Each structure stands twice: as C-alpha cells, then as structure tokens.
Amino acid sequence: MNFYGRRQLVDGMRTVRKNTIRIGEDVPESEYGYRPTPDSRSVAETLVHIAMLGRADRFLHEEDRRPSLEGFDVGELISRSQVEEKRPRSKREIVELLRTEGESSAQWVEGLPEDRLAEQVRQRGGASQSRFEMLLGSKEHEMHHRGQLMVIERLLSIVPHLTRDRQAARAAAAKQQHAPAANPTI
C-alpha cells in the first residue's frame, strides 16, 4: 500500500509554489524590502530563498549526489542562496523566478527514477533518509517560509489569499443557503 509517492509529491510541490506565488503577487513591491526584525530576511529575500530551494535539491541529489552528508559543507549551499537573495530584483522578476524555478524543480522530480528516490543518504549524526524524504523536506521548508510570509502579510495589513478565499467560499455558501428555492415550471 502506497498513499504518497512521486506523483503526490510533484502535485504538492506545484500547489505549494502556486500559493507562494500568490503571496509574492499580493505583497506590494514597495513592501518587498520589509523585514520584521533587523536580522530577518526581507520579503524579497525570503521569496528568492524559496525559489532557490530546487537548485539546492538538484545539487544534492544530481550534481553532487553523495551517499552521506557527514562532512558536507552546508555553508556552501547557504552562501550560494544568500548571494542570490541579496541580488537586486524587481517584484516581477522575483515572481517569475518563483514560477520558473518551481516548475523546473517539479519537472526534474517527475523525471527522477524510483531507485534514485529510494536511495538512502546518511545524515549528520548517522541516521539515514531517502532522497524522497529529503525532497519532501524541501517542500516542507517552503511551507515554513510561506507561513512566515503570511504573518508578514498580516503585519502589513494584507489579508492572506487563503483567508480571503475561505471568506469568499463561506459568503457564497451563506448566500446560496438563503436564496429562495427555484420554482419548477409546470
């Protein structure tokens, strides 16, 4: 019995990225420099960080593809991401980066062979994780940062799109419930 596999992961990646893009679209460009604390990433930096997650995955699971992360310099990947995060980009460029990198990552995961996804990678401390689990972790990482962005939206007096969508659905259901029943013609 297998309830969650590559297809579900790829579909989930696309859904998560679609929601991240909506946040990127909802925040005004004038607020892309906003950071909740001096040591926090700005909105723009967080969105670019999210966009870069797929590149890190391709490096770890294709280009470098080591069997163990023990002794691996994670700081190198972080430095690469930070360089991209600091690069000046417009809102339009950042949203497009989220789109293209998200779709590129989804297509890449779609094409990974089952045996590659099943490969075990030794983690720091000796535990092992499959490459599939690590890719699932990247999707969760994006959701973590998306949650941060939704709090930032609230701080900027923006109602997050998921809340707006839920409010609209409730309003439509209430309107439908109170609408008079249609009279059939005889």
Side-chain angles (χ1 to χ4, degrees):
M1 181 172 5
N2 188 0
F3 295 114
Y4 197 92
R6 179 196 356 245
R7 175 80 268 139
Q8 291 77 17
L9 174 59
V10 170
D11 290 348
M13 290 170 64
R14 285 185 170 122
T15 298
V16 168
R17 185 54 57 95
K18 176 184 67 99
N19 284 309
T20 301
I21 289 168
R22 285 200 53 196
I23 291 171
E25 292 170 339
D26 284 351
V27 174
E29 187 164 14
S30 62
E31 299 291 358
Y32 264 46
Y34 177 80
R35 55 182 84 238
T37 68
D39 292 336
S40 300
R41 286 182 174 103
S42 69
V43 170
E45 290 166 347
T46 302
L47 290 168
V48 172
H49 174 75
I50 290 168
M52 295 296 111
L53 293 174
R55 289 185 187 181
D57 284 335
R58 282 190 295 281
F59 177 78
L60 286 172
H61 304 295
E62 181 129 341
E63 295 168 31
D64 194 43
R65 197 171 157 204
R66 38 179 82 218
S68 175
L69 294 183
E70 290 184 320
F72 177 72
D73 184 6
V74 177
E76 165 72 21
L77 283 180
I78 293 170
S79 293
R80 287 186 203 179
S81 181
Q82 287 173 336
V83 166
E84 288 297 324
E85 292 166 26
K86 301 289 184 201
R87 206 162 124 234
R89 290 180 172 91
S90 68
K91 173 181 175 170
R92 181 187 55 74
E93 291 171 318
I94 291 171
V95 169
E96 186 58 26
L97 184 67
L98 285 163
R99 270 193 190 92
T100 57
E101 289 293 330
E103 186 53 31
S104 174
S105 291
Q107 289 178 8
W108 173 71
V109 171
E110 278 178 321
L112 285 174
E114 289 268 331
D115 59 336
R116 170 93 46 92
L117 291 169
E119 284 177 2
Q120 294 295 305
V121 179
R122 188 174 170 90
Q123 306 294 306
R124 291 178 173 187
S128 287
Q129 217 178 23
S130 71
R131 293 191 187 278
F132 180 86
E133 290 172 292
M134 293 173 73
L135 291 168
L136 183 58
S138 293
K139 183 183 83 153
E140 292 167 354
H141 188 103
E142 179 167 346
M143 292 172 69
H144 158 78
H145 286 302
R146 198 179 78 217
Q148 291 175 325
L149 289 166
M150 291 175 76
V151 170
I152 289 172
E153 283 184 301
R154 293 288 187 175
L155 292 171
L156 296 172
S157 300
I158 299 168
V159 177
H161 73 278
L162 293 173
T163 302
R164 291 192 317 263
D165 292 351
R166 189 175 60 247
Q167 289 169 337
R170 283 183 184 155
K175 185 177 179 181
Q176 182 68 24
Q177 189 177 33
H178 297 321
N183 291 332
T185 55
I186 301 180

